[in-house]
């Protein structure tokens, strides 16, 4: 009896072809499920500390946009982790371990089948004190996107995309880069940029990371004044080199040259040339002390020559996990720390006649500070003493050649004037002062922070009962005790990608120089802001195109008007209003 007959006796019949079809369908369904699972995105990477040591047993979590936990993993002996089966969407990757501040990578966009490599760096509290935004506003604020690729702060992110567009490599430490990288930027701005920055400026900058982790940078700025003029273009060129050292150290050097033919001195001479060499080194002494030292050596030529050096020293000690004690000595308001070399563009120096010879601004700042971590933020109070020998004062207006020549009289304070704008600078008498500075910072989001600062000290103001006149500008001013307060916002808007820095710095409008001039926000006069917005219009605009706008003292506050002998209206101000806008292209 055959198999069909036996099956028929049991009440059912199964044909062999039907069995094969069912089995084949089951295999196809299983393969389809495996393909569907295989299309899920994955996140993997390595977790290290600031010295590059792989961390065993660190907890890595992938968090969805709705705060749901999408996956977790622990790192192995080599610090590696792997989290599969993630759906398309936006995620955060968080790494945490005992005795470390958690590291976070936000706004990670995954699509189906993507393989994201997210390398995270865990920092101790000592290394995280760089959260305090104690940095002055640079002359080229667009340099916020053009800081050295090799950074001292270990949690600076680097993003690279593979050629196929699927593999995303994100590192929270520059030490993760194992091969060279290069980035370039071209920019054109126009507007009234104030003293030495008027007209149309064409900027080209390039950063290059070598295979050994060292960094090279080059910055060139060609400026053409607006309107009919026979003056040639201004030229600024700077090149720098940075490298990491052992024991968590780093070193940088920047060589810069500036030529501004539009500058005029009181003796009728025209043009300003400046050569500066700025260098800095960062060191770690054990686990509790960080040291930064360096300075600037410069030579300036106007109607004569002026040269000198401006050293600085900064020491921070961390006796506990939450407290920081520091000492800072600076002789230049521009370069006061290692981070001051993040931008290679130098401020235009003020060199003019003072006491019968060409001199530049000078002073000595000494400061003792105590800081404490408060949740995600930081608070610091500092006591300082300033001994200023020469103070640069800003002014402007309808300045004529006769007015400039008038300041060259015996006993007068010679001025350095921008012939294209009428803005000028001169050196006032120095003074000694002391005061307190209180700074509070608080992150509003992973991409935005807010800071509040309060300070006491002194600034220059016109003497009581004295009529200001051009030949005796320096003798018309005297120090006045005062207070100052600043609120600042800086970061990037997540949804629009807008980079923003806005600050309002208040001080008595009678003062024409800053109170506590060596403070982090000392040159943020009244209402100032900088915006950088990526331009997107489908495929019509190339990627990497940004619009920028930079405004200083938007409300034109703090102006002290006076009349020249020929009846022209002039003014003194801590920072005259400037407005510049332009386009930048990164490639």
């Amino acid at each position: 009896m055959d198999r069909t007959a036996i099956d028929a006796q049991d009440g059912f019949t199964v044909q062999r072809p039907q069995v094969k079809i069912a089995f084949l369908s089951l295999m196809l369904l299983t393969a389809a499920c495996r393909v569907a699972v295989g299309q899920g995105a994955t996140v993997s990477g390595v977790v290290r500390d600031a010295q590059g040591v792989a961390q065993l047993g660190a907890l890595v979590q992938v968090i969805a946009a709705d705060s749901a936990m999408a996956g977790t993993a622990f790192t192995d002996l080599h610090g590696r982790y792997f989290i599969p089966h993630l759906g398309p969407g936006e995620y955060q990757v968080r790494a945490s371990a005992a005795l470390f501040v958690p590291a976070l990578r936000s706004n990670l966009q995954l699509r189906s089948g993507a393989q994201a490599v997210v390398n995270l760096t865990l920092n101790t509290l000592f290394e995280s004190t760089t959260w305090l935004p104690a940095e002055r506003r640079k002359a080229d604020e667009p340099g916020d996107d053009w800081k050295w690729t090799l950074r001292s702060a270990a949690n600076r992110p680097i993003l690279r995309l593979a050629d196929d567009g699927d593999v995303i490599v994100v590192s929270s430490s520059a030490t993760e880069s194992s091969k060279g990288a290069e980035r370039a930027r071209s920019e054109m701005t126009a507007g009234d940029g104030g003293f030495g920055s008027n007209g149309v400026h064409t900027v080209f900058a390039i950063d290059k990371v070598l295979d050994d982790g060292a960094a090279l940078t080059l910055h060139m700025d060609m400026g053409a004044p607006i309107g009919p003029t026979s003056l040639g273009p201004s030229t600024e060129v700077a090149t720098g080199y940075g490298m990491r050292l052992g024991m968590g150290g780093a070193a940088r050097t920047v060589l810069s040259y500036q030529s501004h033919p539009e500058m005029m001195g009181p003796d009728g001479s025209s043009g300003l040339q400046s050569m500066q060499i700025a260098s800095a080194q960062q060191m770690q002494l054990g686990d509790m002390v960080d040291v930064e030292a360096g300075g600037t050596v410069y030579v300036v030529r106007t109607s004569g020559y002026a040269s000198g050096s401006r050293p600085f020293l900064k020491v921070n000690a961390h006796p506990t996990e939450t407290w920081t004690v520091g000492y800072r000595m600076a002789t230049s308001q521009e370069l006061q720390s290692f981070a001051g070399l993040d931008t290679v563009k130098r401020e235009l120096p003020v060199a003019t006649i003072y006491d019968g010879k060409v001199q530049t601004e000078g002073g000595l700042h000494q400061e003792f500070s105590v800081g404490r971590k408060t949740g995600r933020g930081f608070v610091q109070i500092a006591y300082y003493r300033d001994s200023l020998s020469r103070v640069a004062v800003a002014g402007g207006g309808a300045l004529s050649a006769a007015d400039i020549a008038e300041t060259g009289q015996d006993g007068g304070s010679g001025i350095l004037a921008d012939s294209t704008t009428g803005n000028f600078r001169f050196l006032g008498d120095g003074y000694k002062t002391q005061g307190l500075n209180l700074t509070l910072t608080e992150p509003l989001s992973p991409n935005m922070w807010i800071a509040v600062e309060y300070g006491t000290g002194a600034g220059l103001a016109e003497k009581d009962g004295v009529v200001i006149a051009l030949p005796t500008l320096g003798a018309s001013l005297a120090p006045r005790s005062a207070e100052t307060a600043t609120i600042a916002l800086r970061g990037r808007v997540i949804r629009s990608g807008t980079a923003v820095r806005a600050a309002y710095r208040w001080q008595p409008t009678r003062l024409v120089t800053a109170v506590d001039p060596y403070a982090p926000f000392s040159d943020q006069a009244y209402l100032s802001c900088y915006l950088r917005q990526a331009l997107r219009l489908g495929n019509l605009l190339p990627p990497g195109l940004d619009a920028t706008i930079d405004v200083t003292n938007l409300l034109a506050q703090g102006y002290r008007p006076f009349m020249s002998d020929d009846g022209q209206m002039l003014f003194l101000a801590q920072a005259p209003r400037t407005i510049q806008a332009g386009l930048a292209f990164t490639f």
Side-chain angles (χ1 to χ4, degrees), residues 292-313:
E292 300 177 12
T296 302
V297 178
Y298 66 90
V299 177
V300 183
R301 188 200 71 82
T302 53
S303 57
Y305 287 91
S307 61
S309 61
R310 298 284 186 264
F312 76 85
L313 174 66

Side-chain angles (χ1 to χ4, degrees), residues 78-94:
H78 303 287
R80 297 173 298 194
Y81 71 92
F82 180 76
I83 301 177
H85 311 317
L86 299 173
E90 180 180 338
Y91 294 91
Q92 291 182 339
V93 182
R94 183 178 186 271

Side-chain angles (χ1 to χ4, degrees), residues 125-136:
L125 182 63
F126 306 149
E127 297 154 340
S128 298
T129 55
T130 55
W131 288 344
L132 177 65
E135 58 177 292
R136 297 168 57 85

Side-chain angles (χ1 to χ4, degrees), residues 343-359:
T343 175
V344 296
K345 181 179 174 67
R346 304 288 87 191
E347 292 277 6
L348 186 64
V350 177
T352 187
I353 296 175
Y354 181 84
D355 286 344
K357 60 181 179 180
V358 177
Q359 299 189 50

Side-chain angles (χ1 to χ4, degrees), residues 93-97 99-104 120-123 128 131 155:
V93 182
R94 183 178 186 271
S96 58
L99 304 180
F100 287 96
V101 177
L104 182 68
L120 296 169
T121 299
L122 294 172
N123 296 289
S128 298
W131 288 344
N155 59 350

Side-chain angles (χ1 to χ4, degrees), residues 221-272:
D221 184 335
M222 299 291 292
I226 297 177
T229 177
S230 60
L231 298 175
S234 64
T235 304
E236 298 184 3
V237 180
T239 182
Y241 176 77
M243 61 181 297
R244 296 194 67 88
L245 304 176
M247 304 300 293
R252 296 176 187 165
T253 299
V254 173
L255 173 64
S256 62
Y257 169 77
Q258 296 171 301
S259 176
H260 286 263
E262 73 275 16
M263 295 297 161
M264 295 184 62
D267 60 352
S269 61
S270 62
L272 179 147

